[in-house]
């Protein structure tokens, strides 16, 4: 199954578990499509594109140890994990409610090679060099201590391991920047300071042996190798 098909599968999985966030992140419900267009200047094609880029760091048939932080509701990652029966997957989130929804997604799909843990990305409860891959979807723009988050992800990743994912970067779309500054930040959904695409690329290249950043409107998708 291709990454595109996995993302389409995520849309179909919403059902009764759908939240406003799920609909927005997948650009699949009427309110979600409206927010994607108004705030992010994205249609379904653009939405799919940045998610495919973010998930492209996960090799097909991956069978190593993997950490996802934050897991959120799992709407995007569970269809991918369903295709990775040999992987050892750990999902961490600070929100018990989000994590419970992800747990139900995993149970519904019969995914057994996965564990869930409440925790803080700024202080991960794992030894150094524990994981072959770390995935972070739409998390870093919300983390209050981003410096600690970057350090912790690097610390728990094995040499040669992959760090991939996506999050908001400023300077790519003025309308998105306005919504983030005037609404998302005051409400506490997002937490400054925010990277630009350039600053993110510089940061990742200074930490990792290989790093690539691509943007779709105000979203940056990245893939690094330690």
């Amino acid at each position: 199954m291709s990454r595109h098909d996995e993302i389409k599968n995520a849309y179909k999985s919403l059902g009764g578990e759908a939240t406003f966030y799920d609909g927005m992140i997948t650009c699949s419900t009427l309110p979600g499509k409206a927010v994607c267009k108004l705030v992010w200047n994205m249609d379904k094609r653009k939405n799919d594109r940045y998610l495919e880029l973010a998930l492209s760091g996960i090799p097909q048939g991956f069978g190593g140890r993997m950490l996802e932080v934050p897991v959120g509701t799992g709407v995007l990652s569970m269809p991918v994990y369903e295709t990775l029966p040999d992987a050892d997957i750990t999902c961490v989130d600070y929100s018990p409610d989000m994590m419970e929804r992800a747990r139900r997604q995993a149970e519904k799909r019969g995914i057994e090679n996965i564990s869930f843990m409440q925790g803080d990305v700024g202080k991960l409860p794992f030894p150094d060099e524990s994981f072959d891959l770390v995935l972070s979807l739409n998390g870093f723009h919300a983390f209050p201590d981003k410096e600690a988050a970057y350090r912790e992800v690097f610390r728990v990743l094995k040499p040669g391991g992959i760090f991939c994912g996506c999050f908001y970067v400023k300077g790519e779309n003025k309308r998105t920047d306005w919504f983030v500054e005037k609404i998302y930040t005051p409400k506490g959904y997002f937490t400054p300071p925010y990277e630009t695409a350039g600053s993110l690329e510089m940061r990742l290249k200074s930490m990792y042996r290989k790093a690539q950043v691509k943007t779709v409107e105000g979203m940056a998708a990245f893939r690094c190798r330690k």
Side-chain angles (χ1 to χ4, degrees):
M1 183 182 295
S2 69
R3 287 287 177 262
H4 182 74
D5 289 335
E6 289 164 357
I7 292 169
K8 286 173 64 178
N9 193 7
Y11 303 158
K12 296 175 183 177
S13 75
L14 291 179
E17 287 293 306
T19 65
F20 179 78
Y21 174 82
D22 290 336
M24 180 183 67
I25 210 69
T26 57
C27 195
S28 59
T29 62
L30 286 176
K33 289 176 181 178
V35 172
C36 283
K37 188 64 177 177
L38 178 63
V39 177
W40 299 95
N41 193 35
M42 287 195 194
D43 54 15
K44 186 176 180 300
R45 180 184 61 82
K46 289 182 179 179
N47 190 81
D48 285 4
R49 176 59 179 159
Y50 92 78
L51 292 173
E52 286 172 15
L53 289 169
L55 293 166
S56 67
I58 306 174
Q60 296 287 343
F62 175 76
R65 286 200 70 197
M66 177 177 176
L67 170 68
E68 182 181 6
V69 57
V71 66
T73 65
V75 65
L76 295 173
S77 53
M78 294 305 149
V80 178
Y81 299 159
E82 195 173 16
T83 70
L84 304 176
D86 298 324
D88 180 357
I89 303 166
T90 302
C91 294
V92 173
D93 204 293
Y94 192 76
S95 167
D97 292 338
M98 287 281 206
M99 199 160 48
E100 182 56 32
R101 287 185 174 274
R103 193 193 310 274
R104 290 201 293 267
Q105 284 272 353
E107 289 176 354
K108 183 169 65 174
R109 293 176 176 277
I111 304 171
E112 298 180 349
N113 55 321
I114 187 168
S115 60
F116 295 89
M117 181 182 302
Q118 185 179 10
D120 180 1
V121 67
K123 195 175 181 180
L124 292 171
F126 309 109
D128 296 355
E129 301 179 1
S130 296
F131 296 96
D132 301 289
L133 193 150
V134 177
L135 173 68
S136 185
L137 300 173
N138 302 301
F140 268 75
H141 52 233
F143 295 152
D145 190 344
K146 295 175 176 57
E147 296 298 329
Y150 283 118
R151 289 195 303 268
E152 282 291 272
V153 166
F154 187 85
R155 180 184 67 78
V156 302
L157 195 60
K158 295 178 182 179
I162 296 169
F163 174 39
C164 61
C166 58
F167 56 82
Y168 160 74
V169 290
K170 66 181 180 180
E172 298 297 312
N173 184 291
K174 290 183 178 179
R175 189 168 67 204
T176 299
D177 292 345
W178 185 92
F179 273 98
V180 169
E181 179 185 351
K182 303 298 183 183
I183 298 176
Y184 285 34
T185 301
K187 286 186 174 294
Y189 301 150
F190 289 11
T191 305
Y194 303 114
E195 300 274 12
T196 64
S199 71
L200 176 60
E201 186 171 27
M202 287 180 60
R203 178 192 289 276
L204 295 178
K205 285 185 174 180
S206 72
M207 298 177 70
Y208 292 88
R209 182 160 51 91
K210 294 181 180 179
Q212 182 182 67
V213 176
K214 295 183 178 181
T215 59
V216 178
E217 298 296 344
M219 293 299 296
F222 59 90
R223 181 173 59 193
C224 319
R225 188 176 292 276
K226 184 173 177 180

